[in-house]
Amino acid sequence: MLASARGFLVRHRRKILISLGVAGAGYAAYRLYDAHRSQLVRVEQLRAREEQAADELVKNQLQTHFENVQRISDTTTLPFAMHYLRSRIMEELDISHLTDKLLQGKGGSNALTPKEKYDTWEKIKILSFTRTVSSMWAMTLLSLYVRVQVTILGRHLYLDFARGTDGAQLQAGSDTFSKNGHKDFLATADYLATYSFNALIAQMQHAATEVLREKQLKDPMSMDQVLQTVLQILDMFMSLCEDNLWINYLVPENANFYAQLMAVSSTGFDDSSLLKDVRKLDQLMSETRIVLASDDFKNIMERSLRKIVDVVIEDLASQIGTPIPPSGLPLAKLLARVAQLSLPLLEEPKKNKHIQIIRSMPEVELFYTFLYANMPPET
């Protein structure tokens, strides 16, 4: 049997050697392919880890950038806007000169005629309500508006990252905040107190005059009647703002014109060289106007204003201290306290309980969550 096997090997030696050679070559080729494949896998894994690390880096920088926008808004934008608004309201709607006139006109050579006294009291009545209701409206809308700004900017930062247009800039640490017009956009929070304040006050005074026309100074008013009066003034004001005119009090209508105003205010003269590319600013302002004109925003605006009115009237009742007759107090005795209600409304944001109340309202939080998630990428 051994001899037979040896004979078989001798007869088929060539074929066997060729088969072994082919098998060896195939094994070597397989080993080479397997090594190459393993190398490719390692390269792909390394590339994936590098891409993941780069994505994480950009995401972290994106988050840091957005937090910077939020910080600037909370610590600079809204506080400065509220401070300037307070100074404008205290200046333009000051009633101390009218009360001084009444005190000085009680007798002697400065005595007021009955008509002069009546007219002075009527002015105090109108200005007291105008001052406080304007403070309610402006504080509420500024608080909501600044949050809209931050939400829109956060959405833009996310979209820029998703499209890869700003990823390299963020990684390089470039000042995208200024380059993208974000800083100029946040600065529009000052527009109300700086450029449209007089128009707002004129419209609110018109509304207060219409509502208070039939309310006599000697007539008693309960706290509920004061509340209803404030709500009527707000309703009248909004009805006078046809075609969402109130939005123009918050957001500039034209980015180019606004940029020119900013250039003039910063230098004292019209220096066109200071005008930046306003395309991004115009886009951000346009998106903001669309949000403010939406039914959802109007809903949270109305809810927020109603909540603030309730809180303010509760504060008024507690400030009076003494039990209030069921019929109420004479309107004339309430006017000084009504005017003083504007002061806490215009406190700086960190101390302003009214701003904190608005921010904590569930429907307000829900609105901004949906706004961030569902805002169209292009408008």
Side-chain angles (χ1 to χ4, degrees), residues 48-60:
R49 286 196 295 271
E50 290 176 346
E51 290 179 353
Q52 183 178 6
D55 286 348
E56 289 299 322
L57 176 62
V58 174
K59 287 179 181 178
N60 289 336

Side-chain angles (χ1 to χ4, degrees), residues 42-285:
R42 287 195 297 272
V43 170
E44 288 299 323
Q45 289 175 342
L46 179 61
R47 183 181 301 169
R49 286 196 295 271
E50 290 176 346
E51 290 179 353
Q52 183 178 6
D55 286 348
E56 289 299 322
L57 176 62
V58 174
K59 287 179 181 178
N60 289 336
Q61 292 182 345
L62 180 66
Q63 180 64 28
T64 300
H65 189 64
F66 177 65
E67 290 173 355
N68 185 45
V69 174
Q70 180 73 64
R71 179 183 59 79
I72 290 173
S73 175
D74 288 342
T75 62
T76 304
T77 304
L78 184 57
F80 185 83
M82 288 295 297
H83 175 77
Y84 192 32
L85 177 67
R86 179 188 176 99
S87 65
R88 292 298 308 275
I89 286 181
M90 295 301 105
E91 178 183 352
E92 299 296 332
L93 296 174
D94 179 35
I95 62 173
S96 61
H97 65 287
L98 295 174
T99 55
D100 289 344
K101 183 178 180 179
L102 287 175
L103 291 173
Q104 295 169 4
K106 286 187 174 181
S109 60
N110 294 323
L112 299 176
T113 66
K115 184 178 186 310
E116 288 174 333
K117 187 176 181 180
Y118 173 81
D119 290 343
T120 302
W121 270 108
E122 284 296 303
K123 289 178 181 178
I124 292 175
K125 178 180 73 174
I126 300 300
L127 287 180
S128 296
F129 277 91
T130 299
R131 173 168 147 162
T132 291
V133 180
S134 295
S135 299
M136 288 181 185
W137 190 91
M139 178 278 298
T140 301
L141 268 294
L142 264 183
S143 177
L144 296 173
Y145 172 63
V146 169
R147 185 74 181 275
V148 168
Q149 286 183 307
V150 173
T151 304
I152 288 177
L153 285 179
R155 181 66 172 173
H156 270 267
L157 287 170
Y158 171 78
L159 292 172
D160 287 342
F161 167 73
R163 288 192 294 258
T165 57
D166 277 2
Q169 291 178 326
L170 284 168
Q171 290 188 69
S174 60
D175 187 12
T176 56
F177 185 77
S178 294
K179 288 185 177 181
N180 287 348
H182 298 170
K183 189 174 182 180
D184 294 334
F185 178 51
L186 286 181
T188 60
D190 300 332
Y191 186 78
L192 171 63
T194 306
Y195 299 107
S196 60
F197 179 80
N198 290 336
L200 165 67
I201 294 304
Q203 197 78 306
M204 191 67 76
Q205 188 166 334
H206 182 188
T209 301
E210 290 299 315
V211 172
L212 296 168
R213 189 183 302 278
E214 303 301 325
K215 299 185 185 300
Q216 303 301 316
L217 292 164
K218 64 179 184 300
D219 292 343
M221 288 188 72
S222 65
M223 291 300 101
D224 184 64
Q225 288 175 316
V226 176
L227 184 146
Q228 294 304 320
T229 299
V230 171
L231 292 176
Q232 289 170 14
I233 293 173
L234 285 170
D235 288 343
M236 177 66 70
F237 169 78
M238 293 301 292
S239 68
L240 293 172
C241 297
E242 297 179 351
D243 299 322
N244 292 323
L245 175 65
W246 60 270
I247 295 177
N248 296 338
Y249 300 145
L250 292 166
V251 191
E253 294 184 75
N254 184 282
N256 285 292
F257 181 67
Y258 174 71
Q260 291 173 355
L261 288 175
M262 295 295 289
V264 172
S265 65
S266 64
T267 63
F269 58 92
D270 189 355
D271 185 357
S272 59
S273 65
L274 294 176
L275 298 182
K276 302 175 181 178
D277 182 0
V278 296
R279 287 176 295 178
K280 186 69 172 183
L281 177 61
D282 182 61
Q283 181 187 9
L284 293 169
M285 285 167 45

Side-chain angles (χ1 to χ4, degrees), residues 296-347:
D296 288 337
F297 182 84
K298 291 177 182 177
N299 179 52
I300 67 160
M301 176 178 69
E302 292 171 0
R303 287 172 176 263
S304 298
L305 283 169
R306 179 54 196 258
K307 180 67 175 180
I308 294 304
V309 173
D310 289 340
V311 170
V312 168
I313 300 305
E314 288 175 4
D315 290 344
L316 174 61
S318 65
Q319 288 172 16
I320 292 174
T322 58
I324 303 173
S327 60
L329 296 172
L331 175 57
K333 290 187 176 182
L334 292 172
L335 293 180
R337 294 186 181 276
V338 168
Q340 290 301 310
L341 292 172
S342 63
L343 296 176
L345 285 164
L346 301 173
E347 281 275 11

Side-chain angles (χ1 to χ4, degrees), residues 5-17:
R6 186 180 295 111
F8 176 81
L9 291 174
V10 171
R11 288 194 304 274
H12 298 284
R13 180 172 179 275
R14 182 179 176 80
K15 294 180 178 178
I16 291 172
L17 292 174

